[in-house]
Amino acid sequence: MKKITTKRLILRKPSLNDLNDLFEYAKNPEVGPSAGWLPHQTIEYSKEILNNFIRSEDVWAIELKAEKKMIGTISLYTRDFEDAILGIVELGYTIGRNYWNMGYASESVSAMIEFAFKKLKINKIVCGHTIDNERSKKIILKNNFKFTHLDDTRIFSVDSIKEVLMYELDNPYKKEHKK
């Protein structure tokens, strides 16, 4: 997993040292439900999730350089075999509540998009947000994603989430996408 550095952030492989930071933001009832997962009730549960992140090659910790603290996660994952063949990945991200409206999510999303297209040579990135998650919608639109459809096939831990607005972004660095 490649470490990605931006002006204020380091996107890196998660480690067990991130446990307290993860639990701190993941237990907040404003954070998880807007992304489709329930707030973490115990640090043991956060450790289980963190161990899954560590085993994965798809999830980066978002570290705030100034504080040397994990403030969220960002992921690029392949949804299925067909997407893998077509070079399509899905982007997901979460930022702790104390770090909202500071541009950190946009900064990490922008860096991940550039990494996916330039280094991984991905053809397309898809991304979505729940209907009421306006903060995520702004980040997605700011990064030039185009709306494609309403997805009502996903299953979430949060029962109230039934639909996700989906967007996509084609690789602008590939010749076949240039006009």
Side-chain angles (χ1 to χ4, degrees):
M1 169 176 284
K2 177 154 174 51
K3 181 164 57 171
I4 302 164
T5 304
T6 70
K7 182 178 178 182
R8 302 177 297 166
L9 305 170
I10 298 171
L11 310 181
R12 57 159 176 82
K13 185 156 187 72
S15 78
L16 285 176
N17 294 331
D18 297 318
L19 179 57
N20 289 329
D21 296 338
L22 172 63
F23 182 60
E24 180 184 319
Y25 76 76
K27 69 182 179 182
N28 186 310
E30 292 183 81
V31 176
S34 63
W37 47 271
L38 296 170
H40 294 193
Q41 298 298 314
T42 66
I43 198 160
E44 291 79 19
Y45 182 73
S46 289
K47 186 174 185 180
E48 191 178 316
I49 298 299
L50 182 58
N51 279 323
N52 289 335
F53 290 164
I54 291 167
R55 283 190 294 274
S56 169
E57 288 296 317
D58 301 335
V59 180
W60 285 256
I62 301 172
E63 178 184 312
L64 184 58
K65 285 182 188 178
E67 296 182 22
K68 294 187 168 95
K69 176 182 180 116
M70 178 177 148
I71 62 168
T73 58
I74 189 163
S75 61
L76 279 180
Y77 63 94
T78 307
R79 295 181 298 180
D80 56 35
F81 182 73
E82 183 179 353
D83 281 357
I85 297 296
L86 296 173
I88 300 170
V89 294
E90 184 159 346
L91 173 73
Y93 51 88
T94 301
I95 296 285
R97 175 66 181 98
N98 294 340
Y99 300 94
W100 289 358
N101 300 315
M102 296 180 185
Y104 298 128
S106 290
E107 189 172 327
S108 59
V109 166
S110 178
M112 191 56 68
I113 289 169
E114 183 174 347
F115 172 73
F117 286 152
K118 287 185 173 180
K119 302 292 185 199
L120 300 178
K121 309 293 188 204
I122 296 300
N123 292 321
K124 182 181 292 188
I125 300 172
V126 299
C127 190
H129 66 84
T130 57
I131 290 176
D132 60 346
N133 191 341
E134 288 296 316
R135 291 177 309 281
S136 215
K137 179 181 180 179
K138 287 178 186 175
I139 293 162
I140 291 167
L141 294 176
K142 180 179 180 179
N143 281 282
N144 301 313
F145 282 84
K146 303 296 181 218
F147 176 76
T148 57
H149 67 283
L150 184 69
D151 185 347
D152 62 359
T153 64
R154 296 177 182 229
I155 299 170
F156 294 95
S157 301
V158 179
D159 290 337
S160 62
I161 297 176
K162 305 292 184 209
E163 301 171 318
V164 177
L165 298 166
M166 295 300 298
Y167 300 77
E168 64 182 38
L169 181 64
D170 287 324
N171 187 336
Y173 306 104
K174 292 214 174 223
K175 289 183 180 179
E176 59 266 23
H177 293 302
K178 291 188 177 181
K179 294 182 179 179

